Amino acid sequence: MKTAAIIGGGVIGGGWAARFLLSGWDVRVFDPDPEAERKIGEVLANARHSAPSLRDGPMPAEGKLTFHEDLVEAVRDVDWVQESVPERLKLKLNVYTDIQAANDSVMIGSSTSGFKPSELAEGATSPDRIVVTHPFNPVYLLPLVELVPGPEVTGEGIAEAQAVIQEIGMYPLVVRKEIDAHIADRFLEAVWREALWLIKDGIATTEEIDNAIRYGFGIRWAQMGLFETYRVAGGEAGMKHFIGQFGPALKWPWTKLMDVPELTDDLVDAIASQSDEQSGMYSIRELERIRDENLVGMMRALKRNNFGAGALLNNADTPVAPRLDGSDWVVTADRTVPLDWVDYNGHMNDAAYLKAFSEASDVLLDLVGAGPDYVAGGHSFFTLESHLRYLDEVTGGTPFKIFAYVVQGAGKKFHIFQEMRIPDGTVVASNEQMILHVSLETRATCPMLPEVAARMAVLVEGHAKLPRPAALGAHIRQPS
């Protein structure tokens, strides 16, 4: 078990704490704020609610969270320090002095959005152990970390920081040269400046600007970024055509990016009142929960297409790996009920049960050698009958496993009975399926190939020695 020290437990520090904890790390928090434990507890509750839905496998065992009044105690013998104190350079430098006096070998990552690593390492006893690791809120969901090494950091130090970031399921974007505000915040600053002018000049309200982003290019950027989006916009001729067509517009006076309106009391009041009218009916925690559920839905959609952030999530998954062993029921799923499987009652919906059991059946077929390669060779299995029983309530975020009992697996027929069980062993649903082997060339049933039949026989013969499920055969007639 590795340990991370989180120095500063605000919004970003709390997000880092949740990210490390849910990735299986122990976490020590140092923050003099007497409300730090409550605030981090609330952030962690949101993370526990949403983060498991990004995985189709089991979550790592959660680490241990402790709070410390002494910084030295918090950082002693840890494997990583994440600093997220307020953006005041002198404060950060003092914190690094204290950290390195207690542990001069640990790598310190700073969440700073603006300071360069050379500024952070000024006067440090070990400047080669300080890097910028700038995340994006919510840290426990969004994968990007801008990793900015200073001039004293070695290649080994960069690799060490990359390994930690990847271990907790995030993407380290190594910035080639240090620059104020790194990469992403320079874009955000440009958009922010233009938005201020649009409000100042009475062109748009805060809500209208947000709608322009969230209903349009924001979703597009979420999966393709800037340049790939514009490459597609260029059509078959690609990026060169796009630049040729739209490049001249860069000379037009569309934006005011070289200037910024004065933040007068009137402008600040206008922005604040418009923002309150836009979303003041929600508490901050409610907005966070809405945001998290929306992000989960978007990223799960990206996951289905193995694109953008979804591809990173797929790489992080640890799917079940059942053994071809007939001594017990086969575990074909081990995961958590995602938020997008839940209906208006807060329950797992009917379609989600079928999806869960269907995907579990695919795991079983892959185990017996009838996976994608088998299908590519011209044979597959088609479901003839499927009978679901809903036995107990299942809500979003509930961990569950699916267990398969193989009744028949020979000739043209594959007959299975599956149970969905929650951690206390309660069977919350069951599914019985009759699946037929077919030729994809003729689209007609045919005997399964010998190697698949032989592997199925291991399960059929083994499971026949086990107690038969009481509900087996209640709907699908037993073979004579």
Side-chain angles (χ1 to χ4, degrees):
M1 184 73 75
K2 294 183 179 179
T3 303
I6 307 299
I7 310 304
V11 172
I12 297 300
W16 275 114
R19 170 68 78 163
F20 275 103
L21 276 170
L22 297 181
S23 298
W25 285 52
D26 286 342
V27 170
R28 302 177 189 171
V29 175
F30 170 78
D31 191 322
D33 180 0
E35 294 291 302
E37 189 166 351
R38 175 188 63 81
K39 293 175 181 177
I40 288 180
E42 291 177 353
V43 172
L44 185 54
N46 276 345
R48 287 171 176 148
H49 171 76
S50 57
S53 291
L54 292 176
R55 290 177 174 262
D56 290 335
M59 291 288 289
E62 187 173 309
K64 180 183 178 182
L65 175 64
T66 55
F67 291 84
H68 301 262
E69 296 181 359
D70 180 25
L71 185 145
V72 171
E73 177 186 285
V75 302
R76 185 181 290 122
D77 299 325
V78 298
D79 301 285
W80 180 268
V81 173
Q82 187 64 39
E83 171 270 306
S84 302
V85 304
E87 291 284 86
R88 298 198 299 272
L89 183 57
K90 185 176 180 181
L91 172 61
K92 290 180 182 289
L93 295 179
N94 289 337
V95 167
Y96 300 152
T97 297
D98 292 342
I99 292 172
Q100 294 194 330
N103 187 343
D104 64 356
S105 64
V106 70
M107 184 67 79
I108 304 171
S110 174
S111 301
T112 181
S113 58
F115 291 122
K116 299 190 291 289
S118 58
E119 295 174 305
L120 300 175
E122 186 177 345
T125 56
S126 299
D128 60 314
R129 305 303 289 168
I130 299 174
V131 295
V132 168
T133 47
H134 175 234
F136 292 81
N137 190 39
V139 181
Y140 52 79
L141 291 183
L142 295 181
L144 179 62
V145 176
E146 292 178 307
L147 172 56
V148 192
E152 305 271 358
V153 180
T154 64
E156 290 79 5
I158 296 172
E160 179 184 344
Q162 284 180 294
V164 170
I165 292 167
Q166 290 170 336
E167 185 174 329
I168 59 175
M170 303 182 83
Y171 175 76
L173 174 61
V174 180
V175 180
R176 297 170 182 269
K177 297 179 180 179
E178 64 174 17
I179 184 173
D180 291 323
H182 323 314
I183 295 176
D185 274 355
R186 296 178 74 88
F187 287 110
L188 295 177
E189 176 71 9
V191 174
W192 173 244
R193 287 172 182 266
E194 191 64 30
L196 292 177
W197 276 115
L198 289 171
I199 297 172
K200 172 71 167 57
D201 293 343
I203 305 298
T205 67
T206 58
E207 184 171 14
E208 289 163 351
I209 292 169
D210 283 351
N211 287 345
I213 296 170
R214 62 187 170 194
Y215 298 151
F217 63 86
I219 298 175
R220 193 168 62 186
W221 281 5
Q223 50 98 31
M224 280 191 170
L226 176 64
F227 284 95
E228 194 167 38
T229 293
Y230 284 163
R231 185 183 188 282
V232 172
E236 293 182 357
M239 178 60 86
K240 189 172 183 178
H241 172 71
F242 174 83
I243 294 176
Q245 184 174 5
F246 296 101
L250 294 175
K251 297 181 180 180
W252 300 346
W254 276 4
T255 70
K256 297 182 179 181
L257 296 184
M258 301 308 294
D259 199 359
V260 64
E262 182 183 353
L263 287 172
T264 63
D265 290 343
D266 288 344
L267 180 54
V268 171
D269 289 344
I271 294 170
S273 63
Q274 289 177 16
S275 181
D276 288 344
E277 183 178 356
Q278 175 184 345
S279 54
M281 70 289 297
Y282 299 108
S283 71
I284 292 299
R285 297 306 175 209
E286 287 172 332
L287 286 172
E288 288 177 343
R289 182 63 65 94
I290 292 168
R291 174 204 64 192
D292 291 356
E293 292 190 1
N294 288 339
L295 285 172
V296 165
M298 289 179 65
M299 286 195 280
R300 284 190 63 80
L302 293 169
K303 191 174 184 181
R304 285 195 298 273
N305 293 322
N306 198 39
F307 216 78
L312 292 173
L313 292 168
N314 283 330
N315 290 337
D317 269 340
T318 51
V320 293
R323 296 178 302 167
L324 189 68
D325 178 1
S327 64
D328 204 348
W329 291 41
V330 180
V331 179
T332 51
D334 183 353
R335 59 184 304 181
T336 301
V337 177
L339 301 181
D340 57 350
W341 284 13
V342 174
D343 62 17
Y344 48 86
N345 290 316
H347 297 155
M348 185 171 167
N349 64 48
D350 293 356
Y353 282 100
L354 191 58
K355 178 179 177 62
F357 281 117
S358 177
E359 291 179 353
S361 298
D362 287 343
V363 170
L364 191 60
L365 286 170
D366 194 55
L367 176 64
V368 298
D373 291 342
Y374 191 75
V375 174
H379 293 88
S380 188
F381 286 84
F382 290 179
T383 301
L384 177 65
E385 293 184 61
S386 184
H387 295 276
L388 276 166
R389 294 190 310 152
Y390 310 102
L391 305 174
D392 208 338
E393 293 183 90
V394 184
T395 56
T398 302
F400 70 87
K401 293 183 180 181
I402 293 179
F403 296 79
Y405 179 99
V406 181
V407 184
Q408 181 182 14
K412 305 175 182 179
K413 295 181 179 180
F414 182 39
H415 182 185
I416 61 174
F417 184 88
Q418 300 181 93
E419 290 183 347
M420 179 184 294
R421 306 174 192 170
I422 58 177
D424 66 4
T426 300
V427 179
V428 295
S430 71
N431 184 45
E432 188 172 359
Q433 286 180 289
M434 179 62 77
I435 306 171
L436 299 180
H437 184 265
V438 298
S439 164
L440 295 178
E441 181 179 355
T442 64
R443 316 301 286 188
T445 59
C446 66
M448 61 189 75
L449 299 187
E451 61 269 24
V452 171
R455 293 172 73 87
M456 280 194 176
V458 173
L459 298 176
V460 173
E461 293 169 8
H463 291 181
K465 300 173 184 177
L466 303 175
R468 292 170 65 86
L472 176 62
H475 299 285
I476 294 179
R477 184 171 58 83
Q478 296 295 292
S480 56

